[in-house]
Amino acid sequence: LKTHLKFSSFTVKFASKSFELPLPTQEPLYVDLLKTHLKFSSFTVKFASKSFELPLPTQEPLYVDLLKTHLKFSSKQKDSLEILALKHESSSEEIAFEPDTELGLQLMAIPAQKLTKGASYVLVAKDLRDSAVEMLTDSEKQEIFKTFDSIDANGDKSLTHDEVNEYFQSLCTANCKRITESADRHIKSHPKLKERIERMRDITLKNEKQRRDRKIVQVKEADVDGDRRVDVDEFLRCEAARVVRLREFREKRAKK
């Protein structure tokens, strides 16, 4: 752990480049390990619009968790995506991640010898939220698409962070105005309850702003591929679980 966190490190210079490497704590510094750190042998993994050059493992397998770390997966990506394989970009051959039982931990990995130096691979992953999408009715899907179109200001079928911010801020502003106007009318009708109405108004306004902030974060986190844009499918997955839970809640309440 100290090695990974670079509590102790040293610098190696090679040609015009300089590399900071973790200082081994107990194990010697092997030549093959040094070559790996300096990326003498490497391969490329493409994920969405991004491309990452990773050191080619010399002996150890390529573990899924290590790959997620190299690709800097967010917590949302770790929770939502199941990495299945690496697809060779030229030959389209897929190398599946399989359980590595050597350590007794059932870790998913690809043996180092199956990876090719200098090759480019595309990450093959399954979105675990698809099961919720399959539970949606046609009318529920249409409502989600309608909301998507409302947020998509320029109609390019993808949501930028600015569009998400502007939409939910506009919605919050309209709701806060309605709440304030309603409170003013009640105060005018019931002046003796002024303090109580104002207190409830302030609580409601605070909740509305918190709801806005949560929704903005939720929609932005739907961007699982990390390209800073939310497409229709990502938005559908984002909303599916919420819509299904809401429907199930209403059905349970109707039975009581």
Side-chain angles (χ1 to χ4, degrees), residues 34-192:
L34 182 61
K35 288 180 179 179
T36 299
H37 277 300
L38 298 181
K39 298 185 180 180
F40 280 7
S41 297
S42 63
F43 65 104
T44 301
V45 174
K46 294 184 177 180
F47 175 61
S49 60
K50 298 180 180 179
S51 180
F52 304 84
E53 186 180 0
L54 304 178
L56 189 69
T58 51
Q59 296 176 345
E60 294 290 329
L62 175 65
Y63 294 102
V64 165
D65 287 345
L66 184 61
L67 182 61
K68 289 179 179 180
T69 300
H70 277 302
L71 299 182
K72 298 180 179 179
F73 267 27
S74 66
S75 58
K76 189 66 176 180
Q77 289 172 325
K78 290 178 182 178
D79 292 339
S80 302
L81 293 178
E82 178 185 359
I83 296 179
L84 303 177
L86 291 179
K87 181 179 178 181
H88 196 288
E89 195 169 34
S90 300
S91 66
S92 296
E93 178 189 2
E94 288 192 6
I95 308 174
F97 283 88
E98 299 176 352
D100 176 27
T101 58
E102 185 175 349
L103 299 179
L105 297 175
Q106 292 292 314
L107 299 174
M108 302 301 288
I110 291 177
Q113 59 268 26
K114 288 190 176 183
L115 298 169
T116 304
K117 174 184 175 182
S120 181
Y121 297 93
V122 177
L123 190 69
V124 179
K126 173 185 177 182
D127 197 310
L128 300 176
R129 298 169 300 172
D130 285 340
S131 57
V133 174
E134 294 171 359
M135 297 173 66
L136 292 171
T137 65
D138 289 342
S139 60
E140 287 171 339
K141 288 181 180 179
Q142 291 305 315
E143 283 299 316
I144 293 174
F145 293 147
K146 184 178 178 180
T147 302
F148 180 91
D149 291 338
S150 298
I151 304 173
D152 184 19
N154 61 6
D156 65 351
K157 297 304 178 184
S158 66
L159 309 179
T160 64
H161 286 193
D162 286 342
E163 285 177 326
V164 173
N165 289 336
E166 290 172 8
Y167 175 81
F168 287 106
Q169 179 57 55
S170 175
L171 195 63
C172 178
T173 300
N175 288 340
C176 287
K177 181 181 178 182
R178 176 181 53 78
I179 293 166
T180 301
E181 290 175 348
S182 176
D184 290 342
R185 287 194 301 270
H186 281 78
I187 290 173
K188 188 175 181 179
S189 302
H190 308 281
K192 292 182 180 181

Side-chain angles (χ1 to χ4, degrees), residues 186-202:
H186 281 78
I187 290 173
K188 188 175 181 179
S189 302
H190 308 281
K192 292 182 180 181
L193 300 177
K194 182 175 184 293
E195 290 186 6
R196 181 181 175 185
I197 294 172
E198 287 179 339
R199 185 167 62 252
M200 295 305 298
R201 176 202 61 195
D202 292 343

Side-chain angles (χ1 to χ4, degrees), residues 240-251:
R242 180 188 65 80
V243 171
V244 170
R245 284 197 303 269
L246 181 60
R247 186 218 307 154
E248 291 175 345
F249 171 76
R250 287 172 175 169
E251 289 173 351

